[in-house]
Amino acid sequence: MYDINMVSDEVFERLLKYLEDLKGHSRAETTKQAETILEEAEKQSEKDGEAEDKDDEVKEVEEEEEECDEEGQEEVDDAENESEDEDSTTGETKARKRKKKKNKDVTSSLRYQRARQILQILT
């Protein structure tokens, strides 16, 4: 019920009405599932923040390396042609990874929103 690919928004709205009358063990289990999703989202958000900090550090190192490379550029002109092909492949790979991460983030965000809606109804 949290996955937008499995349950459309229209069906989810009907599901919310159904959940209002949920009682007993089913209500407790559904609440527990929603809380778990929210906790996982918070942990992932913390990890993403740490990863962004690491990405910033990596970018700084890469920039420093680029500056050093520019100083000795005359010596590596021949090698540069070979590395351009590698750089374009690396760039494409990075773009694919970013797109995949963005899609994952959107899906996680929708799961989080749905879990919040469910908790609002059940609590």
Side-chain angles (χ1 to χ4, degrees):
M1 77 180 129
Y2 302 101
D3 187 352
I4 191 141
N5 296 322
M6 303 285 269
V7 179
S8 69
D9 288 337
E10 182 181 324
V11 172
F12 184 73
E13 292 300 320
R14 282 188 261 151
L15 179 65
L16 289 175
K17 291 177 184 175
Y18 168 80
L19 292 176
E20 289 175 357
D21 297 328
L22 206 57
K23 299 195 186 314
H25 181 71
S26 297
R27 187 179 191 97
E29 273 303 306
T30 304
T31 300
K32 183 179 174 182
Q33 288 174 357
E35 288 172 342
T36 300
I37 289 171
L38 295 179
E39 289 170 6
E40 289 172 357
E42 289 172 7
K43 287 178 185 176
Q44 186 61 44
S45 178
E46 290 173 7
K47 286 181 184 178
D48 289 346
E50 292 172 5
E52 287 177 12
D53 291 342
K54 288 180 183 178
D55 286 345
D56 290 342
E57 291 174 16
V58 169
K59 286 178 185 175
E60 288 176 18
V61 170
E62 288 175 348
E63 288 172 0
E64 290 174 6
E65 288 175 352
E66 286 177 15
E67 289 174 7
C68 291
D69 287 345
E70 288 174 3
E71 292 171 1
Q73 188 171 0
E74 293 97 23
E75 299 172 11
V76 293
D77 281 343
D78 294 334
E80 204 170 279
N81 291 334
E82 293 173 13
S83 68
E84 284 178 11
D85 292 338
E86 292 173 11
D87 289 345
S88 95
T89 303
T90 303
E92 292 169 5
T93 302
K94 287 180 181 179
R96 273 189 254 122
K97 285 181 180 179
R98 272 182 276 171
K99 184 176 180 180
K100 186 175 180 180
K101 184 182 182 321
K102 183 178 178 182
N103 289 340
K104 183 179 177 184
D105 290 345
V106 168
T107 301
S108 295
S109 177
L110 292 172
R111 283 177 52 89
Y112 177 83
Q113 289 174 2
R114 286 186 170 193
R116 284 191 54 167
Q117 287 178 293
I118 288 170
L119 277 178
Q120 287 175 345
I121 287 173
L122 297 179
T123 56

